[in-house]
Amino acid sequence: MTENVVHLHKNTDPPADSAAVTTLTVVPDPAPPAPVPLWVRSGRALKTAVTHERTRTAARAVARHGLYTFNGGRIVARRTWDGRTGARYERMLRAAEAAGNYEVAQEWEERLQRFREARHRRRMDLLHSPVDAAKGALVGTGMGIGGLVVLGVVMAIANKDVADVITPISAVIEFIALMITIVQVVWGPLISVGPFLALLALWSVGRKQQAAPNWALPANVRSSEGEPITPSIVVKALRDLGIPALRKAIQEMGDAGASMLSPITIAGCGVEVDVTLPSGVSTIEVQNKRRKLAENLTRHEHEVFITIPEAARTVRLWVADSGALDEPIGPSPLVTDETLTANYKTGKAPWGQDLRGDAAALSLYQRHLLITGLSNQGKTAAVRSLALWAALDKTVEFRIADLKGAGDWAMFDGLATVLIQGPTDDHVIQATEMVEGLVAEMERRVEQRRRDPSTVFTPLIGIVDEAQVAFMCPAKDEDKRPYGGSKATSRYFMAVRKVHNQGRVVDVLLWEGTQDPTDENLPKLVREGAHTRASLVVGTESQAKMALGDKAVNGGAAPHLLRQGLDKGTLVVASDGIAIPAGQASITVRTHYIDDDEAKAIADRAKALRDGVTTLHAIERGEERDPLADIASVLGTDARVRTQEVINRLAALNADAYGGWSFLDLKRVLDDAGAEPYKSDGRMVVARDRVTQALANRDGEDSASASE
């Protein structure tokens, strides 16, 4: 019933003939809201119940245990079928044929034939078994009754009682009656409980095999992050790569692809497995699917490495434990062991760890080095750690040009004989002259070795950090020869090439560090001149090939797939100076990081091994020479002299100025003067008359210019 409320209102506007009047107004209550229909409330409750976590957990549990039982029955049926038929042999036969292994296929075919023959013999024996069993039963029954009668007679004689003759037979009959009674008692409950026991057995099989969809499994099982790598997981990951030929071959294999896999072995912080691909699937197809393969294995892309071993049509997968590559590897032995020493010839520099967790050590003996990568990824630290180890051999001399100039090599002041630090063109000129000094020393050693083959030289290592600055330098010398570039007239490029060509045999080595490689800042001939090539993360596959070579990248090296900023100090190395697994062209190394303070401490230990080294911070330039006048001087009175002899005479005249000269240098000076060398009797020679005339013409031009 709706109640009304009476409100009192006082009229404040009195009429003309009376006083203020109070009026009564009846105001009804507002109508109550309409009731919510029952079906709406039930629907909301049902929706809440369905979406509640406990409801979903219960539904998953019911589905899970029901599917355990159902799929457990399928597993048992499959096992029974395999045991009773030749299905197992046929699957293995098809798998061997799909893998192209026909010898193994023939072996499985022979096993299948033997199985069928044995099964045929058993079936033939079953045809005769009823008759044999009946005969055996009659004979056995007769013998048994006869034995019981004999036993009764013996008992009757012993007891002197004729009734004992049938006592054994009565005892057997009573025993049979007891067994029948027991069976009658047990049979009813067994019939009732038996199906439940059978279902329990099937459930147990399904539970052990986790035979249920992923959504129905418990949360701790359903989460696949970091799950162990098993053969079934690897095969499934390969099957789902999106390569039709591979998927079809796996489906046709009787063993579901297991025959493709080698045993999975623990390798450091991950596992390793070789996969023999079926016919029609190339290794490059699998390599190109690295990201998808990693995701199928529940890993990140950087946690899966694909390389090509020696075996044909095979890929080697290394799969890291989830998150293992993001953990630090520990300090360098150079830091932890203050007694550590080095031997340039026989020792190996401790550089870091490979993916298997084994120590990765690099031999520096007579090997030029090139390390490249993007900026700020650990290139300088990687080169410097090798130099710090080599510095612990007191026979090693260093000449260093740091074209970044940030002080990364400052600890080598007092350890290196030359230390140039700075990014300007003048620093590039100094670095070029330093490398040309390496060439002069190399040629001096080569000449000395020619005279005395038994001569042994101390190692001389030149280091140019940020070498791309030198290659891109636009500066030119007084003869208009560029310091940078990659032409035959480029001074830095030609000096590097000469060291690469002959320096190794006389222990004059060149190490270069460069970033973001291109054909302009890292010429092809320079890249291929290094014996040890290593790359940090780079931007593209083409840069990876520049850094390591086509062979290494085609064999699985992938520095372009490393993570910029996250994989600092991780190098892909191609070198014969480091232990690389058989069949692989490269190895991935996580280098030890040595900070500046630790580097200074190691450098101090190296300085203590030496008597004191004076470090030059600029290349001392000799007196200015006149090449054309010097050529005329060494020609003497000879009308013609072979070009190589002229070069030798110039080097003898002034080794600092001409010790690094080649035929191109000599030809350049003579061509510019108009006294070009020419062939005589099949050999290039220099004519004294031409050189003399060129000097006279030049002096005449200089006089005319002065008079004007």
Side-chain angles (χ1 to χ4, degrees):
M1 179 177 181
T2 303
E3 297 180 356
N4 294 328
V5 180
V6 178
H7 299 275
L8 296 178
H9 297 278
K10 185 175 183 180
N11 192 347
T12 58
D13 297 327
D17 56 351
S18 64
V21 179
T22 301
T23 61
L24 295 176
T25 304
V26 178
V27 180
D29 282 346
V36 179
L38 180 61
W39 66 269
V40 174
R41 286 180 291 173
S42 301
R44 290 175 181 172
L46 180 62
K47 181 179 179 181
T48 303
V50 170
T51 57
H52 197 278
E53 182 60 31
R54 283 181 294 182
T55 304
R56 287 185 291 178
T57 302
R60 281 198 298 265
V62 171
R64 178 170 66 251
H65 293 292
L67 290 170
Y68 279 167
T69 305
F70 176 75
N71 290 327
R74 294 178 56 191
I75 294 171
V76 171
R78 178 70 175 271
R79 291 175 180 174
T80 304
W81 178 259
D82 286 346
R84 302 286 295 178
T85 68
R88 179 184 292 111
Y89 299 94
E90 292 175 356
R91 286 201 305 271
M92 300 304 292
L93 174 60
R94 290 195 298 269
E97 288 177 343
N101 196 338
Y102 297 107
E103 293 182 358
V104 175
Q106 184 177 3
E107 180 180 349
W108 280 110
E109 186 175 11
E110 293 174 355
R111 292 184 180 182
L112 176 59
Q113 187 62 30
R114 289 196 297 268
F115 170 80
R116 287 173 175 170
E117 292 175 356
R119 184 178 60 184
H120 177 71
R121 286 195 301 270
R122 289 196 300 270
R123 289 176 176 175
M124 294 303 295
D125 291 340
L126 287 175
L127 296 177
H128 303 286
S129 59
V131 177
D132 295 338
K135 291 179 180 179
L138 290 175
V139 173
T141 302
M143 293 181 63
I145 295 175
L148 292 174
V149 171
V150 172
L151 179 61
V153 171
V154 173
M155 291 178 63
I157 294 173
N159 296 330
K160 297 180 180 181
D161 187 355
V162 177
D164 286 343
V165 173
I166 61 172
T167 298
I169 296 176
S170 300
V172 171
I173 293 173
E174 290 175 359
F175 176 76
I176 294 173
L178 177 63
M179 292 296 101
I180 292 173
T181 302
I182 293 174
V183 170
Q184 288 175 342
V185 172
V186 174
W187 184 254
L190 186 62
I191 291 297
S192 302
V193 178
F196 294 99
L197 294 177
L199 290 175
L200 180 61
L202 297 179
W203 174 86
S204 178
V205 172
R207 181 176 177 275
K208 179 179 288 188
Q209 298 293 326
Q210 295 294 330
N214 194 53
W215 60 265
L217 296 176
N220 60 336
V221 178
R222 186 168 64 251
S223 176
S224 59
E225 181 68 23
E227 64 181 349
I229 300 300
T230 62
S232 60
I233 289 176
V234 175
V235 172
K236 185 176 182 297
L238 293 169
R239 185 195 65 194
D240 297 339
L241 275 184
I243 303 175
L246 180 58
R247 183 180 185 88
K248 182 178 179 182
I250 292 176
Q251 290 175 342
E252 291 178 350
M253 292 181 185
D255 61 348
S259 60
M260 296 193 306
L261 308 183
S262 70
I264 297 177
T265 58
I266 296 176
C269 58
V271 296
E272 189 174 76
V273 59
D274 285 356
V275 181
T276 302
L277 301 176
S279 179
V281 181
S282 67
T283 56
I284 190 65
E285 290 182 278
V286 177
Q287 285 182 302
N288 290 338
K289 297 279 188 177
R290 179 186 177 190
R291 174 175 294 181
K292 191 168 186 178
L293 177 61
E295 292 171 350
N296 291 347
L297 293 169
T298 66
R299 295 294 190 273
H300 298 291
E301 185 177 10
H302 71 278
E303 294 176 328
V304 175
F305 289 81
I306 306 173
T307 55
I308 309 299
E310 288 181 334
R313 212 172 67 239
T314 302
V315 292
R316 177 168 294 161
L317 307 181
W318 185 86
V319 184
D321 297 336
S322 185
L325 295 183
D326 296 326
E327 299 175 359
I329 65 171
S332 168
L334 293 173
V335 176
T336 58
D337 186 0
E338 295 184 357
T339 63
L340 186 68
T341 58
N343 188 305
Y344 159 78
K345 185 174 182 179
T346 61
K348 289 189 175 184
W351 212 6
Q353 292 181 1
D354 61 18
L355 297 179
R356 295 168 178 79
D358 299 329
L362 179 69
S363 172
L364 308 178
Y365 179 62
Q366 293 187 344
R367 289 179 176 88
H368 301 303
L369 175 70
L370 172 65
I371 297 182
T372 187
L374 298 181
S375 177
N376 194 32
Q377 297 303 305
K379 175 180 71 283
T380 298
V383 179
R384 191 175 67 181
S385 66
L386 297 177
L388 289 170
W389 177 83
L392 296 177
D393 183 341
K394 64 180 181 180
T395 64
V396 178
E397 177 188 351
F398 291 98
R399 300 181 188 181
I400 301 173
D402 175 15
L403 297 181
K404 180 165 56 178
D408 293 330
W409 295 88
M411 69 287 302
F412 278 81
D413 194 354
L415 189 57
T417 54
V418 176
L419 180 59
I420 300 165
Q421 300 180 90
T424 67
D425 289 351
D426 185 61
H427 292 103
V428 172
I429 294 171
Q430 294 284 334
T432 302
E433 293 175 347
M434 182 195 80
V435 178
E436 290 175 340
L438 294 177
V439 175
E441 174 62 17
M442 175 193 73
E443 292 179 341
R444 184 193 69 79
R445 293 185 178 192
V446 169
E447 180 63 22
Q448 187 173 346
R449 177 70 61 80
R450 185 182 66 81
R451 296 174 182 173
D452 183 6
S454 63
T455 304
V456 178
F457 301 105
T458 58
L460 170 59
I461 300 177
I463 301 174
V464 181
D465 197 8
E466 306 295 342
Q468 78 280 354
V469 177
F471 285 112
M472 301 300 290
C473 178
K476 296 183 179 180
D477 62 13
E478 62 277 4
D479 295 326
K480 306 300 181 183
R481 294 182 62 197
Y483 286 95
S486 57
K487 297 181 179 179
T489 56
S490 302
R491 289 182 59 176
Y492 180 79
F493 171 74
M494 290 305 299
V496 170
R497 289 292 299 134
K498 290 175 182 178
V499 175
H500 281 177
N501 288 340
Q502 291 183 297
R504 181 188 68 82
V505 295
V506 290
D507 292 297
V508 176
L509 306 179
L510 182 62
W511 297 356
E512 290 181 290
T514 182
Q515 63 175 257
D516 200 14
T518 64
D519 286 327
E520 288 73 26
N521 65 25
L522 189 59
K524 185 174 187 293
L525 292 177
V526 173
R527 302 194 301 258
E528 295 181 349
H531 303 96
T532 295
R533 300 168 69 173
S535 177
L536 297 148
V537 57
V538 291
T540 64
E541 182 176 345
S542 62
Q543 287 184 316
K545 291 183 177 180
M546 290 181 188
L548 300 175
D550 290 356
K551 179 181 178 182
V553 175
N554 293 338
H560 55 291
L561 297 180
L562 295 173
R563 301 167 298 166
Q564 185 175 1
L566 298 177
D567 289 325
K568 281 188 176 182
T570 299
L571 286 164
V572 182
V573 185
S575 172
D576 62 350
I578 193 170
I580 297 178
Q584 295 182 201
S586 64
I587 188 172
T588 301
V589 176
R590 303 170 69 198
T591 59
H592 296 295
Y593 176 69
I594 301 175
D595 62 32
D596 289 346
D597 293 337
E598 294 168 341
K600 290 176 183 177
I602 298 169
D604 290 339
R605 285 157 44 195
K607 293 173 185 177
L609 299 175
R610 293 163 169 79
D611 295 332
V613 176
T614 301
T615 300
L616 299 178
H617 296 278
I619 301 298
E620 296 181 353
R621 294 183 174 88
E623 59 178 326
E624 293 293 331
R625 307 291 304 185
D626 184 347
L628 189 60
D630 286 342
I631 292 172
S633 173
V634 299
L635 289 176
T637 58
D638 296 331
R640 293 188 305 272
V641 179
R642 289 185 296 108
T643 53
Q644 187 58 48
E645 180 61 25
V646 173
I647 294 173
N648 292 338
R649 292 180 183 183
L650 287 172
L653 176 67
N654 191 309
D656 292 335
Y658 304 114
W661 267 37
S662 66
F663 171 75
L664 292 177
D665 299 307
L666 177 63
K667 186 175 184 298
R668 173 180 51 81
V669 172
L670 294 175
D671 288 349
D672 292 344
E676 298 87 350
Y678 62 95
K679 272 193 176 183
S680 176
D681 296 330
R683 294 185 177 184
M684 297 297 292
V685 297
V686 179
R688 180 173 56 83
D689 292 342
R690 292 189 179 188
V691 175
T692 303
Q693 184 62 41
L695 276 173
N697 294 340
R698 188 186 67 178
D699 293 341
E701 292 174 358
D702 292 342
S703 298
S705 299
S707 62
E708 292 176 359

